[in-house]
Every structure is written in C-alpha cells, then in structure tokens.
C-alpha cells in the first residue's frame, strides 16, 4: 500500500491521481457520466447487457471517438436511415442498427402514410443513435452494473431544439391510424397534446418502448455546459418537396380549401325576423288609419250635431209626425230580409227534405241498414294492426331516408345495441362534486364484474355470449376500468390518480389499452370535468356494446333477454349508489320501447276518462235542450217524457259507429292504425258529430213550435232540409281538407288524414240517416207520453193534452243559453264601438301570433314521451350534460367499381394520387370545421387501411405462402397507387384482408373493424363491391336543432361529393331516420294548411253562394290556425308530425265552429229574424239572427263538450299529452270558440255577402198562424220588451 504522506514525489503523484479518479467517479454518480462533449465524440455505443432477464439490451457508456463502420454495417444504416448516412464516422455498432431497424419498422407501420412524419421520426432516432457528434447533445445521467458485470446506461439527457420538437410534433399530430379513425399520435405519442409531452412519451421507459429512460430537457430553460441542442430543420407535413408531402387526411396544410358553406340566412330587422317586423308594421298602419277614421267620424258627428241644434232654434217647436215615422222605421227592419233564392241551396234543401222524410217514414229499415253497413265495414277489424315502429311512423316508405336505412341494414346489418350507465355525484345539497374515489372505483369494478357474470333470466346468457367482440379476446366495454385492465387488483391505492391521469392523457399507451385493444378517449368514460382536470369529473360513464340482429330474430330475442338481466343488476346498483351518496342512471336498447309503451298505457286511461265525460255531458245536455225548470216544477212527469238522454246516447253511439266503420274500412285496405289515430280521431269526430246532433235537435224543436200539427215525418223533413246543407258544408269541407293529408308521405300524418276523412264522412252520413230515424221514433215516443230510456212505460201524468205548440210536453222554445244570446250577448256584440274593439283585438292577436311563427322550433325531445318518473328521463339528462362524444355517421358508397384505379382515387386519401376532393379527403376537411359540418374525428377508410395492410414494410400483415405480399412485386407497392392491385387481384387480397385479425404485430387487419364495412358480390366475375361505407362521427349533439342541423349537413356533404366525383354517396346514422321529416316539414305544413284553406274557400263560397262570406270564413279559420301556431311558440311546443296533425285538426275544428254560423248568416231563419223587431238592419240583422239561431248549439255542442274533455287531460302523467294535446287542444277550443262566436259574427256584419231566402223559412199560412199563436203564449218580458 502506498502512503500518500511519504516524502517520495512519485508516491504523492500516484495519490493525487487516485484522488482525481475518485472525484471523477463521485461526479459521475451525481449525473455527469459523459465527461467530454465535443464534435466527433460519442456518449453511448454498443450493448452491454440487461437490467434483468426480461429486460431489453441497454447501451454501454462510451465517451470515445466516432468510428468508421464496416461495409455491411454501413449498408444496414443507409437502408434504415437514408442516403445521408452513406459516409462518415458513426457512434453505433451493427447490433444497435439492427435494434434501431426493428423498432423503427414497428413505428413505420403506424406513420408510413405521412412521409414527413416518418422522416422526422427516423431522423431523430437515427441521429440520437448513430450521430458522430453524439456527445454534443447526449449526456448520461445514470448507469448501473449489468448481470454481465459491465456498466449499462439506464438514463440520459438528449438536447433537441424547440423548433425541431415542435416541427416534429406538428408533422405527426394529425396522422391517422387504423380502423378506429384514431390518431397515430395516440400510439406513438400516447395521445400527446404538445411536443414536450410527445418527446416525453418517446423517452419514457416502457415494457414495449424505450428500455432505458431518455429525457428531453428544454435547452432554453437549463444550462448544459459544453452541449448544444440538435437544431435540424424538420420536414413539414405540407412540405414543398412532394417526396415528403403528406396527404390531406394526415395534414391540414396539404388540403385544398373547401367551398364556403353559406348557412341559411333568415331575414332580420334588428333582432326581429322580417315576418314579425312586417306584420307589426302593417298592424300599426292599420291602427293609425283606424284611429284617423274614427277621429274624423267623431268630429263630423259633433259638427253635424251643432248644425242640427242651430236649425232647431230657427224652427217652430210644434210637434210633427217624425216620432211616428221613427216607429215605422224601427219596425221596418224586415225590409232587409233577403228575398233572393240560391239555386244550389234550394237543390240541397229539397234533397235533404226528401232524405229526412224517407228516413222518418222508414226508421227501422234505415236504422237496420245503417247498422248493417257499419257492421260490414267493421269486419275489417280482423285486419286491425297498430303501427308502433317509429321508423314506419315518421318516414315515408318511399322516401330516400327509408330506402337508405333499408339498404344499410340489409348490407351491413343492424347497428350495435348500446347499453349505457352514468354514475354521478350530484345528490348533495352543495351541488355536484367529483365522483372519483378509491372506494367508488372498488364498488364500480364490482358492479361491472356482476354485469359480466350475470345470467339472463330466460336463456341464461352472459355478456360474452352477446357482446361485440372484434378481437375475439375481449368484449367492447368502454369504461375507465379499461385503463386498469378491467381488474381492480391493478388499481394502486396510492397511485391510482396518477395512473388515471396518465391514461387519459396517453390512451394509446400499452399499459392503458383495454382488453379489446383500442384506445379509450376520456370523453367516452368521464364527464363533467373542468379545465382538463379529469380527477374533478362528476360522472363515470360505462357503455357495453352488444351485437344487434334483424328484428324478430332469435339473436335479437337473446340480446333483449340479456338486457333484461342487465336492468335488474343496474337497479340493484342504483340502491347501492344511494347509500354511497351517488346516483346511477342507465338505459338499455330495449328501454325506450318499454317506457313508451308504459306511457301509452298511462295515457289510455286518461283518454278513456276524457271521452266518457264528453259522452255523459253530450247526452245530458242534449236531453235538456228545451226542458225548462219552470215546466218541471209545473209538472215533474213532463221531464220523464221530454228528456232526450236516450237520443243523446244514440248520437254518441253513432260517433263510435263511424269511428269503428272507418277503422274497419281502412284496416281492410292495409292502412295501419297509429297511436295518434287512436287518441285523436274520437276527439275529432265527437267534436264534429255532437255539434251536428245539437243543431238537428234544436232545429227540430223549432219546427215543432212552428208546425205543431204537421206529421212527424214532415217536421223531420223540414228540420233536416234546413240543417242538412249546413252539415253538408262542414262535413264536405272537413272531409276534403283531411283527404288532402292523404297525399302526404309521412305515414303518421297520412294515416291520420285517411282515418279522419273516413270517420267524419261516415259520421255525417249516419247523422242524416240513422240519427234522423231515431229522432223521428223519439218524437213519436214523446207524443205518446212514453218514458225516456224505458219507452214501454207510459207516463200518465204527463201534460200531453195541449196543442203541439208552445208549452206542449213541458217544452220551451228556448233554453237559458239561447235567451242569453238573444237578449244580452248578440245585442252587446253588434254594438258599433264593440265591433271596432273586437276587430282591433282579434287582428292584434292575429298579428302577434304571426310574429311568433318564426319562434316555433322543430323537433320532438324524446324525454317528453316518457311518463313522469321514468328512469330514462335522468339518463337523457345525464347524456346531454356529461357525454361529450357524438353519434357515428357512415357515408355509404353504392354502385361504384372500386376495383378500378380511377374509382379508388375517388375514395382514398392517404396516397399522393388520391383526388383532392375524394370522399375521405372531404370528410377530413369537414371535420376541421365542426361548427358548420357537425363532423368530428377521423374517418375510418377501409380502402386506405387495406392498401396500408399491403405495404411490404408491415411484414407481419399480408403474408402469402410464407412470404410478405408485394415484397418482390413488380410494379412494387407505391404511395402513388401505381403498384396497387386492381380487378381480380384487388378482390383476392381484399378477401384475405377481411379475414386478417388485428393484433400487436399487425394493427391493420380488416376482420374486426371492416368485416361489415363492405359487401363482396360473388355473382359477378370477378366479384364486385356494390356497396361499402366510410365511418366518422358527429360532434356531441345536445339539442333537437343540433340533430336536425347535423342531418342536413351530412346530406350536404354527401350531395357535394356525389356531384363533384360523379359517384353515389348517402349518409347514414341511427338517428337520421327520425329527423328526416324536418327537412321538409315546414314546406309540408305550409302546403297542407294552404291547400286546406283553399278548399275551404272554394267549397264555402260555392255552398254559401257568396265569395265574400266564403272569404270571411276562410280568413277566420286561417286566424285560428295562425293563433294556434303562435300559441305553440308561447307554450314551447315544437313543430313535428304530432303538432302537424294538431294543425290539421285545427282546420277541421275551425270549419266546424264557423260553418254553421256562416250558413245561418247567409240563409237566415225568417222566424228568428222577426224576433229582432226591426232593431237591426242589413248584415247586422243577419249576424244577430245567426247567433240567436245556432250560437247556442255551437257553444254547448262543441265548446263545452271539448272543454270538459280537454280539461281531464290536465291530469295525465305523460308530458307529451300535457304539451301536445292538453295545451294545444285547450288553446284550440278557446280560440276557435272565440273566433266563431265573437269575431266571425262581427266580420260578417261588416263585410259578409248578400243573403238568400231560406226555403224552409218560407212557410205556409198554417205555419205563420202557429208562430203567431206561439208568440201570443210568450210572456211579455220574453218577447215584447223595449230591449228590441
């Protein structure tokens, strides 16, 4: 041993040297193993061993000089790193080059489609591994002794400039990979969002990545003595050198600019739509003119009054005959009674007169014949079928959407069944909070395990029996449990948060891949997180993907059975979640139909109660039409005879018979009933039918008064002769208006229109035949003093001995309602000032509702279709709030021969000769403007992945006869497509590819991702590909307008590609079929309503004999419909098939309300006119007569009946009934009644047409005497009051 303190200089020198070595070793331990940093010197070289038996070979620390390689080594280096390495020294040996080649080839299979990315990737690792100036940018920071006894490098720093790092990342960030349409960055960079995390991922030690830690410190933030960052210029993905330029699909900068999408612009004046602004201006001008006219009239009246007063001062105060003349004029109103005859009305009158007499003469035959005809038509009930499939309800079978769905399902199979659950932390009073905790994860892993092991109730299937399993190794379960391999044992109680964040940032990392080997985006499994902090997520999301099968198949039944078991497991989990302060919402594929059926069953009870109440009211009200309290008190026995309860019941039975006959007739014709028909048709027919019954009975009572001595048959004939044309007007108008709806393609509307037209027509026919016969029999019963309901019993105390005039049988000509209208309501309504106010108010309401029309939204939120308390309502709420992934969309190409190069170029995107505006290129471009296209994410192009699979650099992919396909092929595989297969060869390799599995050795296999993406037709030689699809996805769609816009955008994209490329492309997504209606519903609504209004105008003008009156009726109905649309905007009711049916009903109900008053105006009753005693003149007189004559029937027959029925709907548990039926029908009843009983009489009194003589009012001397006898029996206050 040498003493360092000896005087010997040589010993001292040795000691100093040893100390220096010790200091150097200590410095090395502290992270400075690379002593010299200079050009031409290495930092690492060769392989010196492994950390462990299973680890990879690690390099040796070597700070020596770079060396000239051998010839074979040089060839290998040039082959992998390029011609730039054909000369000069290097810092790597042959073993390193072999390892480098193996690793780079693995990456090449992922990024080869983008030459710039590949070049930058290869350049970084070639430079890092073999650069002769390695020590200038590499510094070893840690090393250890290998099992071989040699030192091995375990960690080092390498310096690369920020410019290179950013350019490298930018060249690779948009490169697409694989059938998922995911990004290559998910695999090579762990889903990195910037170049620093990208480089970190490349350098981190991983089992299948770097065997030692490579750090990429930022040279701008730290000092590195003697070192400098590599500052090479990276290749840009849109490089001017075409050899490195990437395709559009992988590089936004290489894409041609798409034409600008001009969104549909709606005219606005400020914040007001132009329609709203215009109608407000028009109404304002109208008001101004009206105020001016009224002011002028008032001023003129005052001036005339002053002139009159001056003249009176000059005249003698002696009395004159003026007072007598005033009385004469006062009683001269009868001069204004119409004297013209309308030939068409006379023909109708005579026809109905004959029909009424015949039916009354042969009542039993008529009734039997009616029942027989209805019974024969009702035989069609044997073919009765209810259409519940939404697809066949909302979409015309001949429409493009229906054809496309059928083509898609036929060729690619039904879309997968998705079962989804949300675990949410929002049950606390403080509001939503983070859902993630170790305890929550432990519990949820257990729930998912129960789901996988649970046996279905009937077939005892597990998830693995029904799930979608593309790799054959694991079911597709999209859950954060996949980040931990689906096993809770992989969750570290201390580091699970760090592991979870890592996997959400780098979902492509090997340790984060689920069993089905596809990266899990964080948006699929977590929701409600803020500022990219996934640990703050308020919801966990799990989706089980199950194979779907054709409707009615055994496979579908098996899947539905498993879903039933899943529901039970999740319901149990819901209770467990409550105990933990959490909440679970879920939905299965079968849930929607189940809950809709539950809603229908709930609604059915409410609908039945509603109809029962209307039936009872109609029967009771009809029985008390002319039975006064005074007559009952005078002789109670009269009530038993005069009651018409049985007649009312028969009237209701006729309504039901008409519905039954209509259903039977059209069921036999193969037209299915819809739930809308079942719920709406009875309501509609009851509204029409009860009103007609009231009119006939009321008119018959008047005839009984005016012609008491005539035979019953004659009185029936007169009553029907008068009311028949009115019924003809309303029934024909409604029938034709509804029949127009049969031309609509949408089955829900078309079927409703057909059934409604048939029911209204049959109901009208039964009323003028069968009901008239029953009315005749009832009158004979009354005149025989037999009891109502029990006609075999005779009431001896009934006062039937008096004449058949006023007071007979306890009758009174008018009920309280009729008297109120005659004495109070009609006179007040026809006051001049009141009429002006009414016109102003109703036109103001019309203006306001027109202004609101642009505010009516489109769509039907499916949440309102469920009954209150449905478990699907919170699920859909959570779906909107937390799920940030949009539905998939497929662009289907049909009729294109993809075997030919020309057509391949029209579809592909990854290769240099693909058309700039090819289908895949356009889809990629559209995904860059999601606010316009509603497209997000990459496109899964089977053609591009098929050609990539053929790339001979992917040695494990296409292998034939033990050799890699296309390796020695002439012409070779080439990115320009020149060496790609065509014709029969194309089909040959395509078939192999479709059976090729996807695995870690070859991620481009087509079996799992594309086995159902295209159809090979073997009937042609060579086999052809008649149809295939290219998959992408929509952005998250939150509202009905989003879904509608997304569908319209997909249509636009498909149409544009079809036109530009000359190919046939259409879009398909699962929800499109339900939103197809909205592409045309506005135009359809306008056309349908406009056509019905035109029919109303033509028919009413023809049957009323006046264009002016027909125009007033049409305008009134139009105002009712417009007001309903405005009400929809106020009530938040969207426009869809249901509301369109409601608008058609509004037209029918509006006509029913208005037609009878309009006809009573045009053909006023002489006997009623005489009651006015000359108080009114001209149109005012006829308007008063119309209100007095039929106003009571309209109010009690329709308004009250409908109001009672609609009121019951307020108690429904179904939101759809509350919104679309209760709100709209209530508004319809109120608005139609107001317009018919308030606005219409006023409008007719102002601008109605000239009237005609009513043939039935032009009675004989006998009738006139009877009427006078009736008036003589009236109390003075009832008739001869000074009020008239």
């Amino acid at each position: 041993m040498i003493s360092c303190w000896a005087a010997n200089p040589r010993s001292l020198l040795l000691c100093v040297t040893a100390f220096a070595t010790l200091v150097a070793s200590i410095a090395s331990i502290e992270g400075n193993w690379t002593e010299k940093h200079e050009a031409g010197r290495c930092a690492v070289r060769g392989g010196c061993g492994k950390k462990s038996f299973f680890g990879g070979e690690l390099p040796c620390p070597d700070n020596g000089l770079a060396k000239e390689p051998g010839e074979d080594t040089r060839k290998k280096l040039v082959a992998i790193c390029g011609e730039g390495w054909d000369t000069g020294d290097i810092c790597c040996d042959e073993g390193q080059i072999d390892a480098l080649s193996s690793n780079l080839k693995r990456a090449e299979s992922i990024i080869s489609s983008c030459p710039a990315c590949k070049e930058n990737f290869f350049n970084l690792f070639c430079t890092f591994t073999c650069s002769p100036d390695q020590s200038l940018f590499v510094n070893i920071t840690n090393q250890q002794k290998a099992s071989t006894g040699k030192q091995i490098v375990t960690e080092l720093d390498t310096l690369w400039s920020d410019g290179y790092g950013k350019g490298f990342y930018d060249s690779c960030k948009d490169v697409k990979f694989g059938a998922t349409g995911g990004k290559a960055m998910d695999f090579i960079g762990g889903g990195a969002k910037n170049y620093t995390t990208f480089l970190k991922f490349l350098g981190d030690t991983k089992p299948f990545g770097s065997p030692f830690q490579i750090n990429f410190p930022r040279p701008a933030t730290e000092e590195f003595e003697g070192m400098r960052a590599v500052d090479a210029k990276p290749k840009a993905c849109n490089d001017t050198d075409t050899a490195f330029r990437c395709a559009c699909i992988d590089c936004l900068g290489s894409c041609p600019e798409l034409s600008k999408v001009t969104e549909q612009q709606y005219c606005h004046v400020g914040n007001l739509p132009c329609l709203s602004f215009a109608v407000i201006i028009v109404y304002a001008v109208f008001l101004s003119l009206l105020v001016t006219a009224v002011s002028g009239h008032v001023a003129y009246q005052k001036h005339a009054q002053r002139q009159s007063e001056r003249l009176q001062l000059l005249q003698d105060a002696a009395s004159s005959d003026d007072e007598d003349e005033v009385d004469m004029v006062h009683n001269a109103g009868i001069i204004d009674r119409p004297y013209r005859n309308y030939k068409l009305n006379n023909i109708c009158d005579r026809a109905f007169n004959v029909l009424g007499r015949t039916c009354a003469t042969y009542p039993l035959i008529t009734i039997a014949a009616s029942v027989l005809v209805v019974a024969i038509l009702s035989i069609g009930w044997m073919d009765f079928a209810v259409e519940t499939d939404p697809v066949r309800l909302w979409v015309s079978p001949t429409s493009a959407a229906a054809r496309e769905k059928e083509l898609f399902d036929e060729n690619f199979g039904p879309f997968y069944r998705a079962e989804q659950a949300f675990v949410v932390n929002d049950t606390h009073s403080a509001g939503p909070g983070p859902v993630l905790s170790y305890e929550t994860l432990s519990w949820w892993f257990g729930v998912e395990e129960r789901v996988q092991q649970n046996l279905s109730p009937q077939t005892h299937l597990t998830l693995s029996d029904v799930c979608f399993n593309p790799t054959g190794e694991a079911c597709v379960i999209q859950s954060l449990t996949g980040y931990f391999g689906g096993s809770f044992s992989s969750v570290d109680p201390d580091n699970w948060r760090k592991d979870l964040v890592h996997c959400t940032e780098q979902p492509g990392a090997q340790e984060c891949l689920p069993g089905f080997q596809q990266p899990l985006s964080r948006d699929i499994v977590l929701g409600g997180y803020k500022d990219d902090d996934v640990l703050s997520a308020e919801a966990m999301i799990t989706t089980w993907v199950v194979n779907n099968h054709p409707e009615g198949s055994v496979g579908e039944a098996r899947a539905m059975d498993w879903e039933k078991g899943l529901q039970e497991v999740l319901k149990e989990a819901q209770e467990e979640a409550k105990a933990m302060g959490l909440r679970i919402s879920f939905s299965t594929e079968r849930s929607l139909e189940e809950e809709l059926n539950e809603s229908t069953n709930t609604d059915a009870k409410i609908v039945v109660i509603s109809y029962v109440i209307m039936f009872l009211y109609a029967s009771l009200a009809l029985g008390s039409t002319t039975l006064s309290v005074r007559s009952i008190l005078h002789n109670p026995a009269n009530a038993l005879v005069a009651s018409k309860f049985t007649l009312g019941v028969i009237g209701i039975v006729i309504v039901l018979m008409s519905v039954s006959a209509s259903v039977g007739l059209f069921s036999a014709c193969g037209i299915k009933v819809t739930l809308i028909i079942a719920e709406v048709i009875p309501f509609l027919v009851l509204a029409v039918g009860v009103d007609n019954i009231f009119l006939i009975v009321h008119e018959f009572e008047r005839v009984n008064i005016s012609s008491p001595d005539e035979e019953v048959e004659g009185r029936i004939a007169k009553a029907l002769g008068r009311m028949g044309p009115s019924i003809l007007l309303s029934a024909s108008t409604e029938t034709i208006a509804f029949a127009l709806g049969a031309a609509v393609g949408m089955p829900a509307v078309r079927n409703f229109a057909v059934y409604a037209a048939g029911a209204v027509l049959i109901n009208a026919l039964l009323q003028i035949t069968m009901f008239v016969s029953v009315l005749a029999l009832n009158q004979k019963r009354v005149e025989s003093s037999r009891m109502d309901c029990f006609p075999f019993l005779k009431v001896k105390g009934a006062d039937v001995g008096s004449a058949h005039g006023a007071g007979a049988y306890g009758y009174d000509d008018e009920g309280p309602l009729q008297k109120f209208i005659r004495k109070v309501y009609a006179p007040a309504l026809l006051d001049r000032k009141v009429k002006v106010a009414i016109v102003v108010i109703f036109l103001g309401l019309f203006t306001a509702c027109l202004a609101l029309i642009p505010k009516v939204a489109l769509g039907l939120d499916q949440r309102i279709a469920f009954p209150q308390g449905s478990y699907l309502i919170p699920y859909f709420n959570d779906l909107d709030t937390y799920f940030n992934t949009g539905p998939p969309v497929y662009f289907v190409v049909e009729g294109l021969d993809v075997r030919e190069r020309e057509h391949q170029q029209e579809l592909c995107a990854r290769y240099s000769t693909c058309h700039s505006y090819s289908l895949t290129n356009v889809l990629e471009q559209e995904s860059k403007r999601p606010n316009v296209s509603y497209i997000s994410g990459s496109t899964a192009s089977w053609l591009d992945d098929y050609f990539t699979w053929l790339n001979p650099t992917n040695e494990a992919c296409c292998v034939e006869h033990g050799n890699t396909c296309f390796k020695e092929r002439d012409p070779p595989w080439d990115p320009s497509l020149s060496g790609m297969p065509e014709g029969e060869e194309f089909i040959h390799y395509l078939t192999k590819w479709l059976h090729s599995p996807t695995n870690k050795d070859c991620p481009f296999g087509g079996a799992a991702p594309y086995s159902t993406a295209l159809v090979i037709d073997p009937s042609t030689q060579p086999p052809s590909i008649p149809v295939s699809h290219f998959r992408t996805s929509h952005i998250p769609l939150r509202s009905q307008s989003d879904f509608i816009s997304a569908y319209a955008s997909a249509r636009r994209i498909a149409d544009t590609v079809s036109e530009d490329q000359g190919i046939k492309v259409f879009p398909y997504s699962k929800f499109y079929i339900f939103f197809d209606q909205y592409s045309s519903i506005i135009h359809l609504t306008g056309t349908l309503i406009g056509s019905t209004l035109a029919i109303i105008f033509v028919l009413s003008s023809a049957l009323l004999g006046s264009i002016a009156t027909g125009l007033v009726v049409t305008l009134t109905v139009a105002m009712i419909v417009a007001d309903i649309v405005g009400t929809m905007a106020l009530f938040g009711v969207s426009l869809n098939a249901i509301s369109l049916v409601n608008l058609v009903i509004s037209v029918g109900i509006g006509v029913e309300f208005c037609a009878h008053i309009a006809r009573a105006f045009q053909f006023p009753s002489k006997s009623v006119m005489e009651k006015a005693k000359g108080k009114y003149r001209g149109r005012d007189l006829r308007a008063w007569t119309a209100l007095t004559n039929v106003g009571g029937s309209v109010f009690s027959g329709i308004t009250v009946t409908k109001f009672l029925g609609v009121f019951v709907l307020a108690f429904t548990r179904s939101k759809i009934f509350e919104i679309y039926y209760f709100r709209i029908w209530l508004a319809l009843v109120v608005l139609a009644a107001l317009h018919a009983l308030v606005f219409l009489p006023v409008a007719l009194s102002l601008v109605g047409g000239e009237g005609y003589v009513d043939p039935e009012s032009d009675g004989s001397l006998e009738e006139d005497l009877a009427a006078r006898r009736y008036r003589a029996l009236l109390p003075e206050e009832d008739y001869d009051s000074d009020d008239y």
Side-chain angles (χ1 to χ4, degrees), residues 197-413:
T197 55
F198 176 35
L199 294 176
K200 180 181 183 303
F201 180 85
L202 291 176
D204 284 346
T205 304
K206 291 180 287 294
F208 298 98
S210 175
F212 60 97
Q213 181 65 36
I214 304 174
N215 300 315
F216 289 85
R218 297 294 86 226
T221 60
E222 298 182 44
E223 291 283 339
F224 296 92
E225 186 178 352
M227 298 176 64
R228 63 172 182 265
V230 178
D231 195 21
K233 183 179 180 181
K235 300 295 182 182
C237 65
N238 61 339
D239 205 280
T240 54
D241 187 345
T242 56
F244 300 106
R245 189 178 182 86
C246 305
C248 169
I249 189 174
D250 294 323
C251 178
L252 180 61
S254 297
C255 295
E257 187 176 353
L258 293 180
S259 57
K260 220 170 192 180
V261 176
T262 54
E263 294 187 28
Q264 189 173 3
Q265 298 293 328
Y266 294 98
C267 176
H268 280 76
V269 178
N271 291 328
L272 278 178
C274 287
L275 174 63
S276 306
F277 180 79
V279 294
I280 291 173
I281 292 297
V282 170
Y283 183 67
V285 171
F286 165 76
L287 280 183
S288 301
L289 294 176
L290 181 64
V291 169
T292 303
V294 170
S295 301
H297 178 72
V298 170
Y300 175 78
Q301 289 289 93
K302 289 183 177 179
H303 174 73
Q305 184 179 2
R306 287 195 294 270
Q307 288 291 97
S308 176
E309 289 174 352
R310 291 194 190 101
L311 290 174
Q312 285 181 358
L313 292 174
L314 299 175
Q315 291 177 352
D316 188 12
S319 61
S320 68
D321 295 334
D322 287 348
E323 289 82 357
D324 296 334
E325 291 175 3
V326 169
D327 290 338
M328 291 174 62
V329 173
H330 180 73
N331 290 285
I334 200 68
I335 297 173
D336 288 331
R337 187 177 71 187
Y339 289 96
R340 297 186 305 157
N341 285 288
Y342 185 47
K343 187 174 181 180
L344 179 59
N345 182 71
N346 292 344
I347 294 172
C348 292
D349 181 273
R350 287 194 295 271
F352 281 107
N353 191 299
V354 172
L355 178 63
R357 185 179 296 276
T358 302
C359 293
T361 304
Y362 307 103
L364 295 180
I365 295 176
T366 304
I367 294 172
S370 300
V371 172
L372 179 62
V373 171
V374 170
I376 292 173
L377 293 177
S378 298
I379 294 175
W381 276 81
M382 297 175 64
D383 298 319
F384 177 83
V386 178
E387 184 60 83
T388 57
D389 184 354
V391 172
R392 290 191 283 267
L393 277 177
W394 309 125
V395 182
S396 169
T398 59
S399 70
R403 187 192 69 83
E404 289 161 1
K405 181 184 185 304
E406 182 180 357
L407 187 147
F408 187 92
D409 290 348
E410 179 182 335
N411 288 283
F412 308 121

Side-chain angles (χ1 to χ4, degrees), residues 469-542:
N469 187 342
T471 63
E473 297 178 0
C475 295
V476 174
I477 304 175
Q478 297 173 334
S479 170
L480 62 78
T481 60
Y483 291 145
F484 302 95
S487 173
F488 186 67
S489 61
S490 302
V491 181
D492 187 328
D494 298 320
N495 296 317
W496 67 269
R497 291 181 178 85
K498 179 181 177 182
D499 295 339
L500 180 61
V501 171
H502 164 66
C503 285
T504 56
E505 292 178 348
Q506 301 176 6
Q510 189 67 33
E511 64 273 15
C512 298
L513 291 177
F516 58 94
Q517 295 298 302
Q518 294 296 324
L520 286 170
S521 167
R522 62 183 179 178
D523 289 334
I524 294 178
V525 298
L526 292 170
Y529 53 84
K530 301 174 181 64
D531 301 324
D532 289 334
D533 179 15
V534 294
L535 296 178
S536 69
E538 298 167 4
M540 294 190 300
I541 310 166
T542 298

Side-chain angles (χ1 to χ4, degrees), residues 518-810:
Q518 294 296 324
L520 286 170
S521 167
R522 62 183 179 178
D523 289 334
I524 294 178
V525 298
L526 292 170
Y529 53 84
K530 301 174 181 64
D531 301 324
D532 289 334
D533 179 15
V534 294
L535 296 178
S536 69
E538 298 167 4
M540 294 190 300
I541 310 166
T542 298
T543 306
W544 296 270
V545 182
V546 174
N547 284 318
N548 205 353
H549 304 272
E551 185 178 352
S553 65
V554 174
E556 183 192 47
R558 286 159 56 93
M560 293 180 69
D561 185 39
W562 181 84
E563 288 167 352
K564 188 69 175 176
L566 173 64
Q567 290 176 342
E568 296 304 318
V569 173
L570 293 179
K571 286 177 182 178
E572 292 176 4
Q574 281 182 325
E575 298 303 317
E576 297 169 3
K578 287 181 183 178
M580 300 173 63
L582 304 174
R583 176 177 60 80
I584 289 181
S585 64
F586 70 90
S587 172
T588 66
E589 196 74 18
R590 63 180 291 161
S591 297
L592 186 62
E593 185 175 349
E594 286 179 341
E595 289 299 286
L596 289 176
N597 290 338
E598 176 66 24
S599 177
T600 301
N601 294 335
T602 302
D603 297 337
K605 300 172 185 176
I606 297 294
V607 172
V608 169
I609 294 173
S610 173
Y611 289 143
V612 168
I613 290 177
M614 288 189 287
F615 292 164
L616 288 175
Y617 165 76
S619 300
L620 292 172
L622 193 63
S624 60
T625 51
T626 55
L627 194 60
S628 66
V629 175
R630 183 172 54 188
S631 64
I632 294 176
L633 294 176
H634 174 71
N635 186 358
N638 287 344
L640 299 176
V641 176
S643 169
K644 297 183 182 66
F645 184 80
T646 302
L647 188 63
V649 171
I650 297 298
I652 301 303
V653 169
I654 287 176
V655 170
L656 298 178
M657 289 173 62
S658 64
V659 174
S660 175
S662 179
V663 171
L665 173 62
F666 295 113
S667 291
C669 296
I671 300 176
K672 289 187 177 182
V673 174
T674 67
L675 294 178
I676 293 178
I677 292 172
E679 294 159 349
V680 172
I681 294 293
F683 177 92
L684 175 65
V685 179
L686 194 65
V688 175
V690 171
D691 184 42
N692 291 342
I693 289 171
F694 271 72
L695 288 169
I696 293 173
V697 171
H698 287 171
E699 184 60 31
F700 180 65
E701 296 304 333
R702 292 192 183 95
V703 174
N704 279 339
I705 299 298
S706 63
S707 306
D709 299 323
E710 190 170 349
E711 294 294 327
V712 172
E713 290 79 2
R715 281 177 271 160
I716 290 288
K718 287 187 176 182
L720 188 61
R722 174 160 180 77
M723 284 295 108
S726 185
I727 295 174
L728 174 65
L729 171 61
S730 63
S732 60
T733 305
E734 291 160 7
T735 300
I736 295 177
F738 288 137
L740 283 176
V744 175
M746 194 184 303
V749 178
R750 184 191 63 230
N751 292 10
F752 161 78
V754 169
Y755 277 92
V760 168
L761 178 61
I762 295 171
N763 182 66
L765 293 175
L766 290 176
Q767 285 172 335
I768 60 178
T769 54
M770 180 177 173
F771 182 76
V772 167
S773 299
V774 174
L775 182 60
L777 292 176
N778 183 74
Q779 183 61 27
K780 291 177 180 179
R781 174 194 62 78
V782 171
E783 295 180 3
S784 301
S785 299
R786 296 186 177 276
M787 184 184 297
D788 188 23
C789 299
F790 303 97
F792 51 86
L793 297 178
K794 190 165 185 176
V795 182
K796 295 182 179 180
D799 186 11
V800 295
S802 60
H804 300 310
Y809 321 120

